[in-house]
Amino acid sequence: MMIEREMKKNGKTEVSKGRLWTARIMSGVVILFMVFDGIGKIMGPAPVVKATLELGFAERHMAVMWILGLISTLFYAIPRTSFLGALLLTGYLGGAVAAQVRVDAPLFSNVLFPVYLAVLVWGAVWIRDERVRKLLG
């Protein structure tokens, strides 16, 4: 059941202000997390380097992960390309899940954290974009 109704305008369904702000907050959480993650990867503080090494990556891989995460996040942050950004972030976060599974990390805190983030990514896109709602039923 929809909490807030959508209004028709010029043949397109317009999302209510409440739902729009919910989507913006969800997207903001994802974007802030990814920016924070990227800063950690590019600055390379000892705990981040240690965690990266424990996941089986070399320190030189951090720059590549930073670039891929940044590009995906930038596409996601731009409304016109947010669907592409969501797809790219899904792939990026899927790699994070795989890395956590490989080292037998705790399920709910480590392995599923990228999944929680992906739910926020797609939830926000679903709220904002009528085409995605139609596609997903």
Side-chain angles (χ1 to χ4, degrees), residues 17-49:
K17 287 183 182 182
R19 290 183 70 190
L20 183 60
W21 275 104
T22 300
R24 287 176 179 163
I25 291 168
M26 292 167 69
S27 293
V29 167
V30 171
I31 292 166
L32 286 174
F33 176 81
M34 291 301 296
V35 167
F36 181 75
D37 180 64
I39 289 170
K41 283 185 176 48
I42 202 65
M43 299 294 288
V48 174
V49 172

PDB file of all heavy atoms in Angstrom, residues 17-49:
ATOM      1  N   LYS A  17       6.328  14.916  -2.508  1.00  0.00           N
ATOM      2  CA  LYS A  17       7.504  15.508  -1.863  1.00  0.00           C
ATOM      3  C   LYS A  17       8.066  14.608  -0.773  1.00  0.00           C
ATOM      4  O   LYS A  17       9.280  14.481  -0.625  1.00  0.00           O
ATOM      5  CB  LYS A  17       7.157  16.877  -1.285  1.00  0.00           C
ATOM      6  CG  LYS A  17       6.996  17.937  -2.338  1.00  0.00           C
ATOM      7  CD  LYS A  17       6.730  19.290  -1.710  1.00  0.00           C
ATOM      8  CE  LYS A  17       6.524  20.323  -2.802  1.00  0.00           C
ATOM      9  NZ  LYS A  17       6.301  21.650  -2.264  1.00  0.00           N
ATOM     10  N   GLY A  18       7.197  13.964  -0.010  1.00  0.00           N
ATOM     11  CA  GLY A  18       7.655  13.066   1.056  1.00  0.00           C
ATOM     12  C   GLY A  18       8.448  11.894   0.519  1.00  0.00           C
ATOM     13  O   GLY A  18       9.511  11.548   1.041  1.00  0.00           O
ATOM     14  N   ARG A  19       7.928  11.295  -0.531  1.00  0.00           N
ATOM     15  CA  ARG A  19       8.633  10.157  -1.141  1.00  0.00           C
ATOM     16  C   ARG A  19       9.934  10.622  -1.795  1.00  0.00           C
ATOM     17  O   ARG A  19      10.943   9.923  -1.738  1.00  0.00           O
ATOM     18  CB  ARG A  19       7.743   9.466  -2.159  1.00  0.00           C
ATOM     19  CG  ARG A  19       6.595   8.732  -1.474  1.00  0.00           C
ATOM     20  CD  ARG A  19       5.747   7.983  -2.431  1.00  0.00           C
ATOM     21  NE  ARG A  19       6.530   6.856  -2.939  1.00  0.00           N
ATOM     22  CZ  ARG A  19       6.142   6.095  -3.941  1.00  0.00           C
ATOM     23  NH1 ARG A  19       5.005   6.334  -4.552  1.00  0.00           N
ATOM     24  NH2 ARG A  19       6.879   5.099  -4.350  1.00  0.00           N
ATOM     25  N   LEU A  20       9.897  11.776  -2.422  1.00  0.00           N
ATOM     26  CA  LEU A  20      11.098  12.307  -3.061  1.00  0.00           C
ATOM     27  C   LEU A  20      12.196  12.544  -2.022  1.00  0.00           C
ATOM     28  O   LEU A  20      13.353  12.193  -2.238  1.00  0.00           O
ATOM     29  CB  LEU A  20      10.775  13.597  -3.814  1.00  0.00           C
ATOM     30  CG  LEU A  20      11.920  14.222  -4.592  1.00  0.00           C
ATOM     31  CD1 LEU A  20      12.449  13.263  -5.647  1.00  0.00           C
ATOM     32  CD2 LEU A  20      11.461  15.517  -5.234  1.00  0.00           C
ATOM     33  N   TRP A  21      11.832  13.117  -0.881  1.00  0.00           N
ATOM     34  CA  TRP A  21      12.823  13.360   0.164  1.00  0.00           C
ATOM     35  C   TRP A  21      13.321  12.048   0.770  1.00  0.00           C
ATOM     36  O   TRP A  21      14.494  11.934   1.138  1.00  0.00           O
ATOM     37  CB  TRP A  21      12.278  14.309   1.237  1.00  0.00           C
ATOM     38  CG  TRP A  21      12.492  15.721   0.814  1.00  0.00           C
ATOM     39  CD1 TRP A  21      11.568  16.591   0.316  1.00  0.00           C
ATOM     40  CD2 TRP A  21      13.740  16.411   0.787  1.00  0.00           C
ATOM     41  NE1 TRP A  21      12.161  17.782  -0.019  1.00  0.00           N
ATOM     42  CE2 TRP A  21      13.498  17.706   0.269  1.00  0.00           C
ATOM     43  CE3 TRP A  21      15.031  16.079   1.137  1.00  0.00           C
ATOM     44  CZ2 TRP A  21      14.516  18.644   0.101  1.00  0.00           C
ATOM     45  CZ3 TRP A  21      16.042  17.017   0.970  1.00  0.00           C
ATOM     46  CH2 TRP A  21      15.774  18.281   0.464  1.00  0.00           C
ATOM     47  N   THR A  22      12.454  11.069   0.869  1.00  0.00           N
ATOM     48  CA  THR A  22      12.890   9.755   1.345  1.00  0.00           C
ATOM     49  C   THR A  22      13.948   9.188   0.403  1.00  0.00           C
ATOM     50  O   THR A  22      14.986   8.686   0.837  1.00  0.00           O
ATOM     51  CB  THR A  22      11.688   8.795   1.445  1.00  0.00           C
ATOM     52  OG1 THR A  22      10.740   9.333   2.370  1.00  0.00           O
ATOM     53  CG2 THR A  22      12.119   7.413   1.896  1.00  0.00           C
ATOM     54  N   ALA A  23      13.687   9.281  -0.899  1.00  0.00           N
ATOM     55  CA  ALA A  23      14.643   8.795  -1.893  1.00  0.00           C
ATOM     56  C   ALA A  23      15.951   9.582  -1.828  1.00  0.00           C
ATOM     57  O   ALA A  23      17.035   9.002  -1.946  1.00  0.00           O
ATOM     58  CB  ALA A  23      14.038   8.882  -3.292  1.00  0.00           C
ATOM     59  N   ARG A  24      15.856  10.879  -1.646  1.00  0.00           N
ATOM     60  CA  ARG A  24      17.064  11.706  -1.553  1.00  0.00           C
ATOM     61  C   ARG A  24      17.909  11.328  -0.337  1.00  0.00           C
ATOM     62  O   ARG A  24      19.141  11.275  -0.414  1.00  0.00           O
ATOM     63  CB  ARG A  24      16.696  13.181  -1.476  1.00  0.00           C
ATOM     64  CG  ARG A  24      16.215  13.742  -2.795  1.00  0.00           C
ATOM     65  CD  ARG A  24      15.775  15.177  -2.652  1.00  0.00           C
ATOM     66  NE  ARG A  24      15.342  15.718  -3.929  1.00  0.00           N
ATOM     67  CZ  ARG A  24      14.628  16.810  -4.056  1.00  0.00           C
ATOM     68  NH1 ARG A  24      14.264  17.516  -2.971  1.00  0.00           N
ATOM     69  NH2 ARG A  24      14.267  17.241  -5.252  1.00  0.00           N
ATOM     70  N   ILE A  25      17.249  11.079   0.778  1.00  0.00           N
ATOM     71  CA  ILE A  25      17.976  10.685   1.994  1.00  0.00           C
ATOM     72  C   ILE A  25      18.632   9.322   1.798  1.00  0.00           C
ATOM     73  O   ILE A  25      19.796   9.124   2.160  1.00  0.00           O
ATOM     74  CB  ILE A  25      17.034  10.698   3.216  1.00  0.00           C
ATOM     75  CG1 ILE A  25      16.656  12.145   3.548  1.00  0.00           C
ATOM     76  CG2 ILE A  25      17.683  10.005   4.420  1.00  0.00           C
ATOM     77  CD1 ILE A  25      15.523  12.289   4.544  1.00  0.00           C
ATOM     78  N   MET A  26      17.899   8.383   1.206  1.00  0.00           N
ATOM     79  CA  MET A  26      18.465   7.059   0.941  1.00  0.00           C
ATOM     80  C   MET A  26      19.687   7.181   0.028  1.00  0.00           C
ATOM     81  O   MET A  26      20.738   6.579   0.296  1.00  0.00           O
ATOM     82  CB  MET A  26      17.406   6.143   0.303  1.00  0.00           C
ATOM     83  CG  MET A  26      16.283   5.776   1.251  1.00  0.00           C
ATOM     84  SD  MET A  26      14.863   5.025   0.417  1.00  0.00           S
ATOM     85  CE  MET A  26      15.532   3.447  -0.078  1.00  0.00           C
ATOM     86  N   SER A  27      19.558   7.964  -1.035  1.00  0.00           N
ATOM     87  CA  SER A  27      20.685   8.177  -1.953  1.00  0.00           C
ATOM     88  C   SER A  27      21.836   8.883  -1.247  1.00  0.00           C
ATOM     89  O   SER A  27      23.006   8.545  -1.457  1.00  0.00           O
ATOM     90  CB  SER A  27      20.253   9.009  -3.157  1.00  0.00           C
ATOM     91  OG  SER A  27      19.356   8.310  -3.959  1.00  0.00           O
ATOM     92  N   GLY A  28      21.507   9.855  -0.421  1.00  0.00           N
ATOM     93  CA  GLY A  28      22.536  10.593   0.313  1.00  0.00           C
ATOM     94  C   GLY A  28      23.354   9.697   1.220  1.00  0.00           C
ATOM     95  O   GLY A  28      24.580   9.845   1.310  1.00  0.00           O
ATOM     96  N   VAL A  29      22.692   8.761   1.883  1.00  0.00           N
ATOM     97  CA  VAL A  29      23.406   7.818   2.753  1.00  0.00           C
ATOM     98  C   VAL A  29      24.393   6.995   1.925  1.00  0.00           C
ATOM     99  O   VAL A  29      25.551   6.821   2.309  1.00  0.00           O
ATOM    100  CB  VAL A  29      22.406   6.896   3.501  1.00  0.00           C
ATOM    101  CG1 VAL A  29      23.113   5.724   4.157  1.00  0.00           C
ATOM    102  CG2 VAL A  29      21.622   7.690   4.531  1.00  0.00           C
ATOM    103  N   VAL A  30      23.946   6.504   0.785  1.00  0.00           N
ATOM    104  CA  VAL A  30      24.810   5.709  -0.087  1.00  0.00           C
ATOM    105  C   VAL A  30      25.978   6.553  -0.586  1.00  0.00           C
ATOM    106  O   VAL A  30      27.144   6.125  -0.524  1.00  0.00           O
ATOM    107  CB  VAL A  30      24.016   5.134  -1.285  1.00  0.00           C
ATOM    108  CG1 VAL A  30      24.949   4.504  -2.300  1.00  0.00           C
ATOM    109  CG2 VAL A  30      22.967   4.152  -0.813  1.00  0.00           C
ATOM    110  N   ILE A  31      25.688   7.743  -1.077  1.00  0.00           N
ATOM    111  CA  ILE A  31      26.733   8.607  -1.621  1.00  0.00           C
ATOM    112  C   ILE A  31      27.745   8.979  -0.546  1.00  0.00           C
ATOM    113  O   ILE A  31      28.965   8.907  -0.773  1.00  0.00           O
ATOM    114  CB  ILE A  31      26.115   9.855  -2.278  1.00  0.00           C
ATOM    115  CG1 ILE A  31      25.336   9.437  -3.535  1.00  0.00           C
ATOM    116  CG2 ILE A  31      27.179  10.901  -2.605  1.00  0.00           C
ATOM    117  CD1 ILE A  31      24.406  10.500  -4.081  1.00  0.00           C
ATOM    118  N   LEU A  32      27.265   9.346   0.641  1.00  0.00           N
ATOM    119  CA  LEU A  32      28.188   9.687   1.730  1.00  0.00           C
ATOM    120  C   LEU A  32      29.061   8.502   2.114  1.00  0.00           C
ATOM    121  O   LEU A  32      30.266   8.644   2.338  1.00  0.00           O
ATOM    122  CB  LEU A  32      27.426  10.204   2.949  1.00  0.00           C
ATOM    123  CG  LEU A  32      26.871  11.614   2.831  1.00  0.00           C
ATOM    124  CD1 LEU A  32      26.007  11.950   4.042  1.00  0.00           C
ATOM    125  CD2 LEU A  32      28.000  12.623   2.693  1.00  0.00           C
ATOM    126  N   PHE A  33      28.455   7.311   2.206  1.00  0.00           N
ATOM    127  CA  PHE A  33      29.241   6.138   2.542  1.00  0.00           C
ATOM    128  C   PHE A  33      30.311   5.882   1.485  1.00  0.00           C
ATOM    129  O   PHE A  33      31.474   5.609   1.805  1.00  0.00           O
ATOM    130  CB  PHE A  33      28.371   4.887   2.700  1.00  0.00           C
ATOM    131  CG  PHE A  33      29.206   3.666   2.952  1.00  0.00           C
ATOM    132  CD1 PHE A  33      29.687   3.404   4.213  1.00  0.00           C
ATOM    133  CD2 PHE A  33      29.563   2.827   1.906  1.00  0.00           C
ATOM    134  CE1 PHE A  33      30.509   2.303   4.443  1.00  0.00           C
ATOM    135  CE2 PHE A  33      30.371   1.732   2.120  1.00  0.00           C
ATOM    136  CZ  PHE A  33      30.850   1.466   3.394  1.00  0.00           C
ATOM    137  N   MET A  34      29.926   5.955   0.216  1.00  0.00           N
ATOM    138  CA  MET A  34      30.880   5.676  -0.860  1.00  0.00           C
ATOM    139  C   MET A  34      31.995   6.731  -0.906  1.00  0.00           C
ATOM    140  O   MET A  34      33.150   6.396  -1.170  1.00  0.00           O
ATOM    141  CB  MET A  34      30.161   5.592  -2.208  1.00  0.00           C
ATOM    142  CG  MET A  34      29.253   4.378  -2.349  1.00  0.00           C
ATOM    143  SD  MET A  34      30.103   2.794  -2.152  1.00  0.00           S
ATOM    144  CE  MET A  34      31.220   2.832  -3.548  1.00  0.00           C
ATOM    145  N   VAL A  35      31.661   7.979  -0.635  1.00  0.00           N
ATOM    146  CA  VAL A  35      32.688   9.032  -0.587  1.00  0.00           C
ATOM    147  C   VAL A  35      33.637   8.771   0.587  1.00  0.00           C
ATOM    148  O   VAL A  35      34.863   8.846   0.443  1.00  0.00           O
ATOM    149  CB  VAL A  35      32.045  10.434  -0.489  1.00  0.00           C
ATOM    150  CG1 VAL A  35      33.066  11.493  -0.111  1.00  0.00           C
ATOM    151  CG2 VAL A  35      31.362  10.779  -1.807  1.00  0.00           C
ATOM    152  N   PHE A  36      33.084   8.448   1.738  1.00  0.00           N
ATOM    153  CA  PHE A  36      33.895   8.128   2.913  1.00  0.00           C
ATOM    154  C   PHE A  36      34.795   6.924   2.628  1.00  0.00           C
ATOM    155  O   PHE A  36      35.988   6.927   2.948  1.00  0.00           O
ATOM    156  CB  PHE A  36      32.986   7.858   4.116  1.00  0.00           C
ATOM    157  CG  PHE A  36      33.716   7.539   5.372  1.00  0.00           C
ATOM    158  CD1 PHE A  36      34.365   8.530   6.088  1.00  0.00           C
ATOM    159  CD2 PHE A  36      33.767   6.237   5.850  1.00  0.00           C
ATOM    160  CE1 PHE A  36      35.046   8.242   7.253  1.00  0.00           C
ATOM    161  CE2 PHE A  36      34.447   5.932   7.012  1.00  0.00           C
ATOM    162  CZ  PHE A  36      35.091   6.929   7.715  1.00  0.00           C
ATOM    163  N   ASP A  37      34.233   5.893   1.994  1.00  0.00           N
ATOM    164  CA  ASP A  37      34.995   4.701   1.630  1.00  0.00           C
ATOM    165  C   ASP A  37      36.123   5.071   0.664  1.00  0.00           C
ATOM    166  O   ASP A  37      37.254   4.606   0.804  1.00  0.00           O
ATOM    167  CB  ASP A  37      34.057   3.665   0.996  1.00  0.00           C
ATOM    168  CG  ASP A  37      34.765   2.395   0.594  1.00  0.00           C
ATOM    169  OD1 ASP A  37      35.289   1.700   1.495  1.00  0.00           O
ATOM    170  OD2 ASP A  37      34.790   2.082  -0.615  1.00  0.00           O
ATOM    171  N   GLY A  38      35.810   5.913  -0.306  1.00  0.00           N
ATOM    172  CA  GLY A  38      36.812   6.343  -1.273  1.00  0.00           C
ATOM    173  C   GLY A  38      37.927   7.149  -0.649  1.00  0.00           C
ATOM    174  O   GLY A  38      39.109   6.974  -1.000  1.00  0.00           O
ATOM    175  N   ILE A  39      37.571   8.023   0.283  1.00  0.00           N
ATOM    176  CA  ILE A  39      38.585   8.812   0.984  1.00  0.00           C
ATOM    177  C   ILE A  39      39.525   7.883   1.737  1.00  0.00           C
ATOM    178  O   ILE A  39      40.747   8.056   1.713  1.00  0.00           O
ATOM    179  CB  ILE A  39      37.931   9.844   1.930  1.00  0.00           C
ATOM    180  CG1 ILE A  39      37.271  10.949   1.112  1.00  0.00           C
ATOM    181  CG2 ILE A  39      38.964  10.428   2.901  1.00  0.00           C
ATOM    182  CD1 ILE A  39      36.386  11.880   1.930  1.00  0.00           C
ATOM    183  N   GLY A  40      38.948   6.867   2.368  1.00  0.00           N
ATOM    184  CA  GLY A  40      39.777   5.885   3.077  1.00  0.00           C
ATOM    185  C   GLY A  40      40.719   5.152   2.151  1.00  0.00           C
ATOM    186  O   GLY A  40      41.879   4.906   2.487  1.00  0.00           O
ATOM    187  N   LYS A  41      40.232   4.817   0.973  1.00  0.00           N
ATOM    188  CA  LYS A  41      41.069   4.079   0.022  1.00  0.00           C
ATOM    189  C   LYS A  41      42.178   4.964  -0.561  1.00  0.00           C
ATOM    190  O   LYS A  41      43.283   4.500  -0.778  1.00  0.00           O
ATOM    191  CB  LYS A  41      40.203   3.491  -1.089  1.00  0.00           C
ATOM    192  CG  LYS A  41      39.447   2.253  -0.629  1.00  0.00           C
ATOM    193  CD  LYS A  41      38.690   1.614  -1.758  1.00  0.00           C
ATOM    194  CE  LYS A  41      38.005   0.338  -1.354  1.00  0.00           C
ATOM    195  NZ  LYS A  41      37.241   0.344  -0.155  1.00  0.00           N
ATOM    196  N   ILE A  42      41.870   6.209  -0.815  1.00  0.00           N
ATOM    197  CA  ILE A  42      42.886   7.077  -1.435  1.00  0.00           C
ATOM    198  C   ILE A  42      43.883   7.619  -0.397  1.00  0.00           C
ATOM    199  O   ILE A  42      45.060   7.789  -0.695  1.00  0.00           O
ATOM    200  CB  ILE A  42      42.230   8.214  -2.257  1.00  0.00           C
ATOM    201  CG1 ILE A  42      43.209   8.759  -3.298  1.00  0.00           C
ATOM    202  CG2 ILE A  42      41.709   9.321  -1.400  1.00  0.00           C
ATOM    203  CD1 ILE A  42      43.596   7.787  -4.356  1.00  0.00           C
ATOM    204  N   MET A  43      43.421   7.866   0.824  1.00  0.00           N
ATOM    205  CA  MET A  43      44.313   8.375   1.868  1.00  0.00           C
ATOM    206  C   MET A  43      45.165   7.252   2.456  1.00  0.00           C
ATOM    207  O   MET A  43      46.284   7.486   2.895  1.00  0.00           O
ATOM    208  CB  MET A  43      43.512   9.066   2.983  1.00  0.00           C
ATOM    209  CG  MET A  43      42.704  10.267   2.515  1.00  0.00           C
ATOM    210  SD  MET A  43      43.715  11.630   1.966  1.00  0.00           S
ATOM    211  CE  MET A  43      44.360  12.209   3.503  1.00  0.00           C
ATOM    212  N   GLY A  44      44.606   6.051   2.504  1.00  0.00           N
ATOM    213  CA  GLY A  44      45.349   4.874   2.958  1.00  0.00           C
ATOM    214  C   GLY A  44      45.764   4.849   4.408  1.00  0.00           C
ATOM    215  O   GLY A  44      46.904   4.470   4.703  1.00  0.00           O
ATOM    216  N   PRO A  45      44.871   5.204   5.357  1.00  0.00           N
ATOM    217  CA  PRO A  45      45.253   5.078   6.762  1.00  0.00           C
ATOM    218  C   PRO A  45      45.479   3.594   7.121  1.00  0.00           C
ATOM    219  O   PRO A  45      44.944   2.697   6.461  1.00  0.00           O
ATOM    220  CB  PRO A  45      44.060   5.657   7.528  1.00  0.00           C
ATOM    221  CG  PRO A  45      42.918   5.561   6.590  1.00  0.00           C
ATOM    222  CD  PRO A  45      43.488   5.649   5.204  1.00  0.00           C
ATOM    223  N   ALA A  46      46.274   3.367   8.135  1.00  0.00           N
ATOM    224  CA  ALA A  46      46.685   2.008   8.513  1.00  0.00           C
ATOM    225  C   ALA A  46      45.514   1.022   8.666  1.00  0.00           C
ATOM    226  O   ALA A  46      45.597  -0.100   8.158  1.00  0.00           O
ATOM    227  CB  ALA A  46      47.520   2.058   9.787  1.00  0.00           C
ATOM    228  N   PRO A  47      44.403   1.401   9.348  1.00  0.00           N
ATOM    229  CA  PRO A  47      43.307   0.421   9.492  1.00  0.00           C
ATOM    230  C   PRO A  47      42.681   0.018   8.154  1.00  0.00           C
ATOM    231  O   PRO A  47      42.298  -1.134   7.960  1.00  0.00           O
ATOM    232  CB  PRO A  47      42.278   1.142  10.368  1.00  0.00           C
ATOM    233  CG  PRO A  47      43.026   2.225  11.060  1.00  0.00           C
ATOM    234  CD  PRO A  47      44.146   2.601  10.137  1.00  0.00           C
ATOM    235  N   VAL A  48      42.609   0.955   7.217  1.00  0.00           N
ATOM    236  CA  VAL A  48      42.022   0.654   5.903  1.00  0.00           C
ATOM    237  C   VAL A  48      42.959  -0.255   5.113  1.00  0.00           C
ATOM    238  O   VAL A  48      42.523  -1.232   4.491  1.00  0.00           O
ATOM    239  CB  VAL A  48      41.717   1.954   5.118  1.00  0.00           C
ATOM    240  CG1 VAL A  48      41.255   1.646   3.702  1.00  0.00           C
ATOM    241  CG2 VAL A  48      40.665   2.773   5.848  1.00  0.00           C
ATOM    242  N   VAL A  49      44.240   0.041   5.153  1.00  0.00           N
ATOM    243  CA  VAL A  49      45.224  -0.790   4.461  1.00  0.00           C
ATOM    244  C   VAL A  49      45.211  -2.203   5.044  1.00  0.00           C
ATOM    245  O   VAL A  49      45.189  -3.195   4.310  1.00  0.00           O
ATOM    246  CB  VAL A  49      46.638  -0.170   4.539  1.00  0.00           C
ATOM    247  CG1 VAL A  49      47.690  -1.121   3.986  1.00  0.00           C
ATOM    248  CG2 VAL A  49      46.673   1.161   3.806  1.00  0.00           C
TER     249      VAL A  49
END
